[in-house]
Amino acid sequence: MDWGNVTAEDLIDALREVDWSSPPRPLSEFFSRFAVPRSYSKWNSRLKCNLYYYRTNYFLLIISVLILGFLRRPLAIVAAFLTALSLAFLNDSFAGTFSEKVTRTVRQFSPHLAAKMRPPLTPVIRGRPSVKRAIYICGRPRWVFVSVFSSASFFLWFVSAGLLTVLWALAIGLLATILHASFRTPNLKARLNTFREEFRAVWRNYSEL
């Protein structure tokens, strides 16, 4: 796969649709083999490949930096959690898994309420959905949850006066992520894993035709 031909929009779409439930890569692999890229094209391809392959590691790295920055601000920790959750809802796989688990838990106490949390059925014409499948969380459009959690996190950021702290923490976390992704040499395992996930995505799209 030529990562030089992958645009930033393609990478964001892939990160939004890919399954994030996979565990992070081992630290022995994460912190091995660093080298300076020989050209801008090499750096561009390496950056995109590593951001995709080590996505879970980078996510945990940024969360860890945020937690360290908010040890003295409990409300800021809650705000950071709500912000991360609202961003996670933008991922199709996470939104579907979250909705399924919440609905399953509610069903144990109130089957009638759980029935109302089911997403509406998408009309199908000649074996194909008539419209693009929308993402629902607990029977409500995804944007409702994203808006509610984002608003709550913004309010907590304002109350805790931790906005400047989160900006510094995010800057440090993003800088560490970009530096690692720029100098970490993609190994054969990363390339094979990328090909495997790319094949699954292509095969999924093919099966929906």
Side-chain angles (χ1 to χ4, degrees):
M1 178 176 182
D2 186 5
W3 283 92
N5 296 329
V6 178
T7 63
E9 183 179 357
D10 294 335
L11 180 61
I12 293 175
D13 289 340
L15 292 175
R16 181 178 60 84
E17 296 176 2
V18 76
D19 185 9
W20 283 69
S21 61
S22 58
R25 310 298 176 185
L27 293 179
S28 57
E29 176 187 346
F30 188 65
F31 289 107
S32 65
R33 296 192 62 188
F34 291 90
V36 178
R38 300 178 181 179
S39 63
Y40 172 78
S41 59
K42 292 288 185 181
W43 170 80
N44 190 29
S45 299
R46 179 185 300 181
L47 181 68
K48 296 172 184 176
C49 180
N50 285 333
L51 285 176
Y52 186 81
Y53 183 69
Y54 294 111
R55 56 186 179 274
T56 307
N57 297 73
Y58 295 143
F59 179 77
L60 294 177
L61 173 64
I62 295 176
I63 293 299
S64 300
V65 174
L66 288 173
I67 292 176
L68 291 176
F70 298 143
L71 290 179
R72 297 183 180 180
R73 298 176 182 269
L75 284 179
I77 296 179
V78 178
F81 174 77
L82 293 179
T83 301
L85 194 59
S86 61
L87 292 176
F89 282 144
L90 297 177
N91 179 264
D92 297 351
S93 177
F94 178 86
T97 303
F98 178 87
S99 179
E100 181 181 352
K101 289 184 178 180
V102 172
T103 304
R104 189 181 305 168
T105 302
V106 173
R107 188 181 296 115
Q108 298 176 357
F109 304 95
S110 177
H112 179 69
L113 179 59
K116 295 182 178 180
M117 297 170 62
R118 295 176 180 175
L121 298 177
T122 303
V124 177
I125 300 177
R126 295 182 180 180
R128 292 186 180 182
S130 59
V131 294
K132 185 178 180 180
R133 185 176 65 91
I135 303 300
Y136 285 82
I137 302 177
C138 300
R140 297 293 182 268
R142 173 167 52 185
W143 66 265
V144 174
F145 278 79
V146 174
S147 301
V148 170
F149 280 86
S150 299
S151 301
S153 63
F154 179 80
F155 175 77
L156 292 178
W157 284 128
F158 180 79
V159 173
S160 63
L163 187 58
L164 184 60
T165 303
V166 71
L167 291 178
W168 277 106
L170 280 177
I172 295 174
L174 292 175
L175 179 61
T177 298
I178 293 176
L179 288 176
H180 181 276
S182 299
F183 294 100
R184 175 64 173 92
T185 304
N187 53 22
L188 181 60
K189 182 179 179 180
R191 296 192 179 101
L192 289 177
N193 183 273
T194 301
F195 275 121
R196 190 183 304 115
E197 294 188 3
E198 180 190 21
F199 173 78
R200 289 175 179 173
V202 173
W203 183 259
R204 183 185 66 233
N205 293 335
Y206 175 80
S207 62
E208 291 177 355
L209 295 178

